[in-house]
Amino acid sequence: DILKARARPAEVVKADMLLAEHLENQGYPDDALKILTSYYVTAKRDLNFLTLFGKIAARAGEFQTAIGAYYSIYKSSPRSRLGRNALFTSAYLSYQIQDYDGAYRKFTEVTNKHNGSALARDARWHLAWLQYLKGNYASAEKAYRVLAEEKIYKRRRRVVRPFQNDRTKYWLAMSLLKQDKKENASKIFMQLAADK
């Protein structure tokens, strides 16, 4: 309160952002969100504010609010790392609240707009998983096959590993099993079981 009494209007927002972050860290996300909500209209173009607002909204269980905040960050700065991460986070939060169509659209946007990024790679896995969750087993099978056949490649002095892992193989086999392709699924399950 002492800091806010001496501060200019722009600094009051920053002081309350610090207070909200402190409250959230202490386990009071609802109280923190109330503080930030009063500034939303005036500060919604401030990416630092939106980042904190989205984080606290998610912690408070206000997932639609958090998704909107993260998507606003992406729309304000679509080519930045912050924007990419915000788009992925909004997609992941949509998935967590079982808005599978919204998550699918956002994960697709990640892969289309940021195809070379590690986030796009993770988004491709989530797209396959969402197909499975929605009962589109043939589409899930196709997507898991593409992931399983990815090659190792180097990107900016770092090796990017493909999704040729047990998780991908398992869900490929489950997709086959759901389509009554039991023989093909069984082969994959046997390979997984034989691998110590």
Side-chain angles (χ1 to χ4, degrees):
D1 287 333
I2 295 169
L3 178 64
K4 286 169 62 175
R6 296 178 181 172
R8 293 186 300 251
E11 293 170 338
V12 171
V13 176
K14 290 182 181 178
D16 274 342
M17 284 173 64
L18 285 171
L19 176 60
E21 193 163 18
H22 172 73
L23 287 170
E24 189 261 336
N25 288 335
Q26 295 300 313
Y28 302 103
D30 294 329
D31 295 335
L33 188 60
K34 283 179 190 170
I35 291 169
L36 294 182
T37 300
S38 65
Y39 295 108
Y40 183 79
V41 172
T42 56
K44 66 183 178 183
R45 298 205 192 299
D46 180 344
L47 298 183
N48 292 324
F49 174 84
L50 282 174
T51 301
L52 182 62
F53 187 75
K55 175 182 146 187
I56 290 174
R59 284 283 307 272
E62 297 292 333
F63 294 107
Q64 291 295 351
T65 301
I67 291 165
Y70 283 116
Y71 200 73
S72 292
I73 293 167
Y74 168 68
K75 285 298 188 184
S76 295
S77 185
R79 294 176 188 228
S80 70
R81 177 180 291 215
L82 179 65
R84 272 194 314 269
N85 289 337
L87 176 59
F88 186 89
T89 302
S90 71
Y92 190 78
L93 287 171
S94 294
Y95 153 69
Q96 284 194 312
I97 63 168
Q98 298 181 349
D99 173 14
Y100 296 148
D101 292 332
Y104 195 87
R105 280 191 305 274
K106 291 178 188 96
F107 280 129
T108 300
E109 197 168 352
V110 171
T111 61
N112 289 342
K113 303 258 173 91
H114 308 287
N115 194 32
S117 72
L119 290 176
R121 182 175 171 266
D122 291 341
R124 285 193 298 279
W125 199 93
H126 281 89
L127 287 169
W129 175 234
L130 286 167
Q131 290 292 348
Y132 183 88
L133 290 175
K134 290 166 61 174
N136 300 332
Y137 302 118
S139 296
E141 175 196 348
K142 184 178 176 185
Y144 281 123
R145 283 194 188 283
V146 168
L147 291 172
E149 293 168 6
E150 278 187 355
K151 304 289 185 224
I152 295 174
Y153 65 93
K154 289 186 178 180
R155 185 172 187 273
R156 294 187 187 167
R157 294 176 280 178
R158 132 185 143 211
V159 174
V160 177
R161 301 262 175 232
F163 279 102
Q164 296 170 351
N165 61 22
D166 295 344
R167 181 175 68 155
T168 301
K169 290 175 186 174
Y170 175 82
W171 288 109
L172 170 59
M174 286 299 294
S175 300
L176 290 164
L177 193 60
K178 291 286 189 177
Q179 298 173 78
D180 284 329
K181 298 178 181 178
K182 294 176 184 171
E183 190 175 316
N184 293 341
S186 180
K187 287 178 187 175
I188 296 171
F189 285 134
M190 295 298 282
Q191 289 171 356
L192 290 171
D195 185 353
K196 294 180 182 178

